Amino acid sequence: MKRLPCGQCWTKLSLASRLMIVAALAMLLGGTSLLYITVRSMADSYHAELAEQLNDGLDSLTIVLGEQAVVGDYATIQQILDGRAKRRNVSLVGWTDVDGKSLVAYGKLIPPQAPDWFVEWVDCPHFDRERNLEVGGQSYGKLFMRLTTAPTMNQIWHTFAWQLQVILFGGTLFFVLSALALKYGLRPLYTLTQGAARFGQGDYSVRIAPCGAPEILPSIHAFNDMACRIEGLLDAQRKYTRALEQSANSVVITDARGDIEYVNPRFCEATGYTLEEAIGQNPRLLKSGETTPEEYRYLWASITAGGVWRGEFHNRRKDGSLYWESVSIAPIRNEKGVITHFVAVKEDITRRKEAEESLRRLNETLEQRVREEVAKNREKDLLLTHQSRLAAMGEMIGNIAHQWRQPLNALGLLLSNIQDAYAHHECDQDYLDKSVARGELLIGKMSSTIDDFRNFFKPDREKVRFSLEGAVR
């Protein structure tokens, strides 16, 4: 983009010349504003005065001419009008009766002294107005009056010209005195400029001796303090830079959009990318595809909200090999609290991950062995349980056989008695019924024995409170 000629000239001017030009423009602007305000206030004031004069003149004419208009004394009316036309600012005054006859008196013609451009700028028009002449509710024609603004405009012009001369004289005097003051007062500033140039060239030990006007002394002191602070900051920056470059962890600094602006040498060693290849790239160039887009969105939302994100990535080097990193990403804020950059500190945890994987596999093998031993012990427990049940069943059958032996013997004896009774013709109906009843009683005892054993081995369906103390007593 080409500069305008005036802009090129301005850049070549010295500070003193610029200050003089700015001061002259300020004086010109201030004087112009003062003149404008003065002229407008005078014009508004005279405008109000002329409007009041016009109203008062018509009011007084209405009173004075009312009686003469009733009697029709035109000569007296003309005299009154001639007298009113001689008053200040009156250009024309007249009266027209109901028949259309007009009496007019003209005031003294005052030539304008202000130029046309000034008259157009002030814009103060002539004042004229008509009013009905009524007496007792009856109309006797119309009064009209016109005021000229020539005297007012001449007075405003004289005031304007006088103030303009005063402003020009004051501005010229101010310009000359300011030029002299700047010439001798800015010498310490030139010394300060030369010192700043040396400082900018790398001479951080330069200091300026305090001298000159009280207004310049604070600048010299401020420059010396600034030089001391900058020298200290540069020392601290060199220390921090060495700390970053010699860090055992990878350090990446990006802008607010996520584009890389700085990486330390450890990053280049871990990833295989050079500094030139990494600058301007996005950290996604290390993506291996194992991290889901949802995780990346959560990461970005966390750090852009001002939080710190910590996690692990399985990234890909430049040569295609994979490695594990433990990453901590935090925002960097400026003095206004706005996030301008992000810093990521990364630690290579590939060996730790490999050790954890080996331990995990060992644990899986151990768990498999434990499960197999537990399964074997469970089979043994099931076998013992089955054997215990068979033993309990054999014991139960033995008990049933023991309990049935006596009823079976008695039943056999009963059948033998029935046979003997039948052989000796003693087996009548009564004897047979008693024998059958006794046999059924023995069979019932045998059946109750089976029920008792079955109920004994049957588990309870409901919990029953048991008192050990009551059972012992």
Side-chain angles (χ1 to χ4, degrees):
M1 181 177 180
K2 296 183 179 180
R3 291 186 178 181
L4 297 176
C6 58
Q8 295 177 354
C9 295
W10 177 260
T11 57
K12 295 179 180 179
L13 293 176
S14 63
L15 177 61
S17 301
R18 297 182 187 183
L19 290 176
M20 294 301 299
I21 293 175
V22 172
L25 292 177
M27 288 287 296
L28 180 61
L29 181 60
T32 304
S33 301
L34 178 61
L35 286 176
Y36 176 78
I37 293 172
T38 302
V39 170
R40 293 313 309 172
S41 61
M42 292 180 64
D44 294 340
S45 177
Y46 287 136
H47 187 281
E49 291 179 3
L50 290 176
E52 184 178 0
Q53 181 182 354
L54 183 60
N55 289 329
D56 293 342
L58 289 176
D59 291 340
S60 62
L61 274 176
T62 302
I63 297 173
V64 173
L65 295 182
E67 182 178 354
Q68 306 302 328
V70 172
V71 299
D73 190 354
Y74 286 86
T76 303
I77 293 175
Q78 184 65 51
Q79 292 178 357
I80 295 174
L81 294 177
D82 292 339
R84 289 301 177 95
K86 296 178 180 179
R87 293 188 176 184
R88 183 174 178 271
N89 297 328
V90 177
S91 174
L92 181 148
V93 63
W95 171 67
T96 303
D97 61 8
V98 294
D99 296 328
K101 182 179 181 180
S102 299
L103 298 178
V104 181
Y106 295 94
K108 182 180 179 181
L109 181 62
I110 301 175
Q113 299 176 358
D116 294 338
W117 65 266
F118 185 78
V119 175
E120 294 179 1
W121 177 51
V122 175
D123 190 20
C124 189
H126 293 283
F127 285 82
D128 51 15
R129 187 171 300 171
E130 291 184 355
R131 180 179 295 180
N132 292 327
L133 179 61
E134 296 181 356
V135 178
Q138 184 176 357
S139 175
Y140 289 92
K142 292 184 178 182
L143 291 173
F144 56 91
M145 180 182 289
R146 176 181 296 172
L147 301 181
T148 180
T149 59
T152 300
M153 188 62 63
N154 292 337
Q155 186 172 0
I156 295 175
W157 166 251
H158 292 154
T159 303
F160 173 80
W162 177 77
Q163 289 187 353
L164 181 61
Q165 294 174 3
V166 172
I167 290 174
L168 291 176
F169 176 77
T172 304
L173 182 62
F174 172 80
F175 188 82
V176 173
L177 295 178
S178 298
L180 294 175
L182 287 173
K183 180 179 179 180
Y184 295 100
L186 291 179
R187 286 181 179 177
L189 189 58
Y190 294 143
T191 305
L192 181 61
T193 303
Q194 295 173 357
R198 291 171 53 193
F199 190 87
Q201 294 173 359
D203 186 5
Y204 302 120
S205 62
V206 63
R207 301 292 185 270
I208 307 300
C211 63
E215 293 82 1
I216 300 179
L217 285 176
S219 299
I220 296 177
H221 292 305
F223 173 81
N224 293 334
D225 293 341
M226 178 193 67
C228 293
R229 290 198 204 95
I230 290 178
E231 191 173 11
L233 290 174
L234 289 175
D235 292 339
Q237 183 182 10
R238 285 190 289 267
K239 178 175 64 176
Y240 298 147
T241 301
R242 288 192 297 268
L244 288 176
E245 292 178 350
Q246 300 175 14
S247 174
N249 296 329
S250 300
V251 178
V252 180
I253 298 177
T254 70
D255 58 15
R257 297 176 303 178
D259 296 331
I260 298 175
E261 292 186 355
Y262 171 82
V263 293
N264 67 342
R266 177 56 186 161
F267 173 88
C268 299
E269 295 176 5
T271 63
Y273 290 97
T274 63
L275 177 63
E276 293 74 15
E277 292 174 335
I279 297 300
Q281 297 292 330
N282 191 282
R284 69 171 64 95
L285 84 162
L286 302 176
K287 288 174 56 176
S288 63
E290 297 183 11
T291 304
T292 62
E294 290 75 14
E295 292 179 280
Y296 283 117
R297 283 194 290 268
Y298 174 75
L299 182 157
W300 185 252
S302 299
I303 61 177
T304 53
V308 178
W309 184 89
R310 295 181 178 86
E312 296 178 352
F313 284 134
H314 200 197
N315 285 334
R316 188 181 301 278
R317 297 185 181 91
K318 182 180 178 180
D319 60 6
S321 60
L322 299 177
Y323 70 104
W324 282 95
E325 282 186 327
S326 176
V327 185
S328 176
I329 306 176
I332 300 176
R333 302 177 183 270
N334 59 13
E335 61 276 2
K336 297 181 180 180
V338 179
I339 297 176
T340 59
H341 294 80
F342 298 102
V343 57
V345 180
K346 306 180 177 183
E347 179 185 1
D348 192 336
I349 58 171
T350 304
R351 293 184 178 179
R352 191 189 75 186
K353 282 291 186 178
E354 291 175 352
E356 291 176 354
E357 180 65 18
S358 299
L359 182 60
R360 184 187 64 82
R361 293 176 180 175
L362 180 61
N363 290 335
E364 288 181 353
T365 304
L366 181 60
E367 290 177 359
Q368 182 65 26
R369 293 177 181 177
V370 170
R371 284 195 295 268
E372 291 176 357
E373 293 296 328
V374 170
K376 292 179 181 180
N377 292 333
R378 188 173 298 172
E379 291 179 359
K380 293 179 181 180
D381 292 340
L382 292 175
L383 181 60
L384 291 175
T385 303
H386 182 65
Q387 292 176 352
S388 299
R389 290 179 178 177
L390 291 177
M393 186 177 298
E395 184 179 358
M396 182 186 67
I397 293 174
N399 291 329
I400 292 175
H402 176 74
Q403 294 294 330
W404 278 12
R405 186 173 291 111
Q406 183 178 358
L408 287 175
N409 291 333
L411 186 60
L413 183 61
L414 178 62
L415 293 176
S416 178
N417 291 333
I418 293 174
Q419 186 177 11
D420 292 341
Y422 178 77
H424 295 86
H425 304 284
E426 294 177 358
C427 183
D428 55 4
Q429 188 63 38
D430 181 57
Y431 181 83
L432 183 60
D433 291 338
K434 288 180 180 180
S435 298
V436 171
R438 187 177 179 185
E440 290 178 352
L441 180 61
L442 292 173
I443 292 172
K445 287 183 179 181
M446 294 173 65
S447 177
S448 64
T449 301
I450 295 175
D451 293 336
D452 290 340
F453 278 101
R454 184 175 58 187
N455 291 332
F456 178 77
F457 287 97
K458 182 179 180 181
D460 295 334
R461 294 185 180 179
E462 296 181 358
K463 294 182 179 180
V464 179
R465 293 185 177 274
F466 174 74
S467 175
L468 180 60
E469 182 180 359
V472 171
R473 291 180 180 178

